[in-house]
């Protein structure tokens, strides 16, 4: 019996050792494929490894992740569930998050929420709380069309079709992994052209003839400049069958080419803001052709992929692009920007949406900086990946890319039509609304409160109205500029006592309309006229009054310091010697904003107007002329600066000329000495960041907010307003706002002290 037992033990041991070695070999090979984003190969290896150890948690988690990157979510869910059933063994937080994201992308919102909450508790509170909170938004928005209708494009194939663009109204260019004639045996993607025939129908797609042979990756998506003379395109490492999103391991760079009359791509060259060690892609030209918008995971962003803008200056593209800021960018991924001249469209996996990547619209201020976000609703978006949105106001037709169920291939292109009134003026109402407040859908119906309806319109003109978004009453004396987008031809009008203005327009034409009135937020929006424009075609434009928060002449609240070690910001504001007493304002004229440190001698012609100087603000250098004691003096100087050819100059408040010292090298900036304290007034910082206003201040988490900086509060009617105080520079204010938004205060914005009042910047 003893000999027989010993022999049996030796046999079992002999079998176990090879099986364990085989498991390690298979898993090691699968892990290598996974790290190279070769998910199909990784899955084959993991499946073989699981035959040896069916309950190995890491293998189950990895194969689930791989299936999620291939958009096979039902299969991914099965493996995540097996990993979660590990008994006493606990899965890694990344597995918990991947499972929750999978359930959300399947529309299983009720099941996803507790997993996000568990991730918040066990791993990352910010990430888990953000996604858990987005569940409520997804439930509320999934059936909200926001006025859009979406249908599959007729030219989709069983392979990946993505990256649509419209070089002309009768053309669609897109990228596809479909197998064409002359297939080389290597799966890649390339641009295709769809032409509209004389009857308005789309013909079959054909490969786009460019003469360019891509090396080191495939070419696409593409974007043509408005005049068609140039094309910017992404050289990509997209793998057919794999999601074309950052977490799937994509590698990208941006290239520029000149386009000949025959459509050939000549003089192909990389753009100067590409770099080693990070990706740059999804580039599109801005509406004027002088800027390129793109996505990149370059260092220094808010996290993941951020949106950037690079401008063309004197025929050269900037080497240091501008980050578009914390309104659109987040610690998640923002991709596929598209700027139509008035709004910025993009996709994000962080901002509150239906699941995976959703498409958003950002309203912009006069400097084309994003100020507020709007979700495009449950027709444009789905629980899956939705991105690559482009839209032509003239045709009221757009396109997007999605891997939602029901398509022909892994990624499909969908046409988008807007069936409600043209989007635009309601952005003024929503300019301070939080993310997820819905789509701004266009001119508001009716007329300003108290205005008679049915009044005749002069022959050959159409009428529009401007009214106060708070009171509903008419806004008189507003300046309205109407520009024909195709030609640049412009006209101006002014609103009368009833808030009305009258303009002559052409049928089926796109106009850009800008409304300005002192005391109100400026607004710019597009309007497309019908074949037979109605008398009130421009509708009722609602403008938002500029809020002025006046500073009370009392000492600010004492800073509350968290028990944890203070941040750099807390340490600075807690030291009284670091707080500047504000006793007066100075004004300057900003002349230029450049990426490299400027040579001030180039601006010598401005010297008679004041001292020419520059300050550094983040990655930019601001060239200014100052100082002026009053705003009126600065405005007069700004007019003279503009007369000298600096059309974009404007008045700024704050830091005056910075003393320059030269000692055998570059100039050194030194902050001006602080003014003596004014004991008759409160100690007020130049900037604040408003976090929110609460009817029940006891519901506000003061302890959490204090970790962001020095916390202040004030009363406004029945509300208590909370803000981060003690901010001395715009850079400090922007950093504080970004921290606040990342911490969940989505509507946080900057206030600047102007003439004793805090004004929203």
């Amino acid at each position: 019996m003893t000999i027989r037992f010993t022999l049996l033990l030796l046999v079992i041991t002999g079998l176990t050792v090879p099986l364990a070695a085989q498991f390690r070999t298979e898993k090691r090979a699968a892990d290598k494929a996974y790290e190279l984003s070769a998910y199909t190969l990784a899955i084959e290896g993991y499946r073989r490894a699981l035959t040896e150890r069916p309950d190995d948690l890491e293998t189950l988690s990895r194969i689930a992740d791989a299936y999620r990157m291939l958009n096979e979510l039902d299969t991914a869910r099965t493996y995540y569930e097996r990993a979660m059933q590990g008994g006493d063994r606990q899965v890694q937080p990344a597995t918990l998050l991947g499972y929750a994201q999978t359930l959300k992308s399947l529309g299983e919102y009720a099941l996803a929420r507790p997993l996000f909450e568990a991730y918040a508790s066990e791993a990352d509170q910010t990430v888990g709380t953000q996604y858990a909170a987005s569940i409520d938004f997804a439930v509320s928005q999934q059936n909200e069309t926001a006025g859009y209708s979406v249908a599959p494009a007729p030219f989709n194939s069983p392979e990946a079709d993505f990256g649509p663009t419209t070089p002309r109204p009768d053309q669609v260019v897109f990228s596809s992994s479909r197998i064409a004639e002359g297939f080389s045996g290597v799966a890649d993607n390339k641009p295709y052209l769809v032409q509209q025939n004389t009857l308005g129908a789309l013909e079959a797609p054909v490969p786009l003839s460019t003469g360019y042979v891509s090396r080191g990756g495939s070419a696409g998506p593409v974007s043509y400049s408005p005049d068609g003379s140039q094309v910017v395109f992404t050289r990509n490492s997209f793998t057919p069958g794999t999601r074309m999103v950052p977490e799937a391991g994509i590698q990208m760079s941006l290239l520029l080419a000149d386009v000949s009359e025959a459509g050939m791509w000549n003089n192909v060259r990389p753009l100067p803001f590409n770099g080693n060690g990070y990706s740059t892609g999804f580039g599109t030209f801005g509406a004027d052709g002088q800027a390129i918008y793109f996505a990149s995971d370059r260092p220094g962003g808010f996290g993941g992929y951020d949106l950037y803008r690079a401008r063309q200056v004197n025929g050269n593209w900037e080497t240091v692009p501008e980050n578009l800021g914390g309104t659109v960018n987040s610690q998640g991924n923002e991709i596929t920007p598209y700027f139509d001249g008035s709004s910025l469209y993009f996709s994000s996996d962080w901002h509150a949406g239906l699941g995976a990547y959703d498409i958003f619209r950002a309203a912009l201020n006069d400097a084309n900086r994003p100020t507020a976000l709007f979700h495009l609703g449950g027709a444009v978006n789905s629980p899956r990946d939705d991105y690559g949105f482009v839209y032509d106001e003239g045709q009221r037709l757009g396109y997007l890319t999605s891997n939602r169920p029901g398509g022909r291939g892994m990624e499909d292109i969908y046409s988008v039509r807007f069936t409600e009134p043209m989007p635009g003026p309601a952005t003024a109402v929503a300019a301070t609304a939080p993310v997820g407040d819905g789509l701004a859908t266009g001119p508001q119906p009716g007329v300003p409160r108290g205005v008679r309806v049915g009044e005749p319109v002069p022959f050959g003109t159409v009428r529009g109205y401007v009214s106060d978004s708070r009171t509903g009453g008419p806004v008189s004396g507003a300046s309205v500029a109407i520009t024909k987008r195709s030609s640049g031809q412009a006209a101006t009008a002014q609103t009368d006592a009833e808030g009305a203005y009258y303009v002559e327009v052409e049928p089926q034409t796109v106009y850009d309309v800008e409304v300005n009135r002192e005391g109100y937020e400026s607004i710019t929006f597009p309007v497309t006229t019908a074949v037979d424009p109605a008398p009130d075609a421009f509708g009722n434009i609602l403008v938002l009054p500029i809020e002025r928060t006046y500073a009370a002449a009392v000492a600010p609240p004492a800073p509350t310091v968290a028990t944890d070690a203070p941040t750099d910001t807390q340490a600075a504001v807690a030291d009284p010697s670091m707080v500047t007493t504000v006793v007066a304002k100075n004004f300057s004229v900003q002349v230029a904003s450049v990426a490299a440190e400027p040579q001030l001698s180039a601006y010598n012609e401005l010297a008679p107007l004041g001292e020419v100087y520059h300050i550094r603000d983040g990655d930019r250098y601001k060239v200014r002329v100052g100082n002026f004691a009053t705003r009126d003096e600065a405005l007069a100087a700004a007019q003279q600066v503009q007369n000298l050819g600096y059309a974009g100059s404007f008045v700024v408040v704050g830091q005056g000329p910075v003393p320059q010292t030269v000692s055998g090298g570059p100039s050194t900036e030194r902050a001006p000495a602080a003014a003596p304290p004014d004991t008759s007034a409160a100690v007020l910082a130049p900037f604040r960041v408003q976090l929110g206003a609460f009817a029940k201040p006891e519901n506000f988490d003061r302890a959490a907010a204090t970790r962001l900086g020095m916390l202040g509060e004030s009363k406004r009617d029945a509300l208590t307003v909370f803000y981060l105080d003690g901010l001395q520079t715009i850079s400090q204010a922007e950093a504080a706002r970004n921290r606040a938004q990342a911490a969940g205060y989505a509507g946080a914005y900057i206030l600047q002290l102007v003439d004793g009042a805090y004004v929203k910047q």
Side-chain angles (χ1 to χ4, degrees), residues 387-732:
Y387 55 94
F389 181 86
V390 297
Y391 192 75
D392 185 332
E393 290 284 357
Q395 297 189 91
R396 303 186 76 177
L397 173 66
Y399 295 93
L400 63 87
T401 303
S402 180
N403 57 15
R404 65 188 64 184
R408 293 191 64 192
M410 177 69 176
E411 279 83 22
D412 286 292
I413 295 172
Y414 291 78
S415 62
V416 180
R417 293 189 181 275
F418 195 77
T419 57
E420 300 296 329
M422 193 59 60
T427 54
V429 180
T432 57
V435 173
D437 198 45
L439 174 73
T441 55
Q444 299 301 296
V447 297
R449 181 175 299 168
V451 173
R452 297 187 303 275
V453 298
E455 293 293 324
V457 175
F459 179 76
T461 67
V462 297
R463 176 172 52 203
Y465 293 97
V466 179
S467 59
D468 189 303
S469 65
R470 298 283 177 83
T471 67
V475 175
S476 62
S479 174
V480 184
I482 303 97
T483 304
K484 185 177 178 181
R485 183 174 294 182
S486 61
S487 66
Q489 183 180 3
T492 58
Q494 193 170 51
T495 57
D496 59 22
E498 293 192 332
Y501 62 96
Y502 301 86
V503 293
E504 296 181 4
V505 296
E506 300 175 18
Q508 292 185 297
T509 302
V510 180
Y511 292 91
D512 291 308
V513 183
E514 181 179 0
V515 179
N516 290 283
R517 176 68 162 87
E518 186 177 358
Y520 290 88
E521 301 275 4
S522 298
I523 176 173
T524 303
F525 60 92
V527 169
T528 301
T529 56
V531 176
D532 183 17
D536 291 311
F538 278 45
N540 179 22
I541 303 164
L542 305 180
V543 290
L544 187 70
I546 296 175
E547 291 187 3
R548 298 178 66 87
T549 305
Y550 286 89
V554 295
T560 305
V561 181
T563 55
D564 300 333
T567 63
D568 292 341
T569 302
Q570 288 172 330
V573 298
D575 182 356
S577 66
M578 299 294 291
V579 179
T580 302
T581 302
V582 179
V583 297
K585 285 290 151 190
N586 55 64
F587 300 88
S588 297
V589 178
Q590 182 156 312
V591 177
S593 175
V594 295
E597 185 171 359
Q599 295 294 323
L600 296 183
S601 59
Y603 302 89
N604 281 343
E605 60 185 327
L606 302 177
L609 304 178
E611 184 174 351
V612 181
Y613 66 100
H614 76 264
I615 64 170
R616 185 168 182 174
D617 188 358
D619 293 332
R620 308 288 297 181
Y621 292 85
K622 308 294 179 65
V623 179
R624 295 177 177 175
V625 179
N627 258 0
F628 303 100
T630 67
R631 185 183 294 274
D632 288 342
E633 292 179 31
L635 289 171
Q639 183 61 58
Q640 296 181 63
V641 171
Q642 291 171 2
N643 293 340
L644 290 172
Y646 300 91
S649 58
F650 56 91
V651 174
V652 295
V653 181
Q655 184 176 357
V658 178
Q660 307 289 321
T661 60
V662 180
S663 179
S667 62
T668 303
E669 297 183 358
R670 186 174 67 247
D678 178 11
T679 58
S680 63
V683 178
L684 303 175
F687 297 95
R688 289 176 176 174
V689 171
Q690 182 163 315
L691 302 176
F694 294 79
K696 294 184 177 180
E698 62 271 17
N699 294 335
F700 181 77
D701 190 343
R702 288 176 170 83
T706 299
R707 297 188 183 97
L708 303 173
M710 187 172 76
L711 183 63
E713 62 181 86
S714 62
K715 295 290 291 183
R716 186 188 303 164
D717 299 327
L719 301 176
T720 300
V721 181
F722 293 93
Y723 48 85
L724 301 178
D725 208 351
L727 305 171
Q728 304 301 312
T729 66
I730 185 61
S731 297
Q732 286 185 9

Side-chain angles (χ1 to χ4, degrees), residues 236-260:
N236 68 74
S237 66
F238 300 156
T239 301
T242 301
R243 293 169 62 202
M244 298 175 189
V245 294
E247 54 264 47
I250 59 177
Q251 298 294 319
M252 302 179 293
S253 59
L254 281 177
L255 288 86
L256 187 70
D258 301 322
V259 182
S260 71

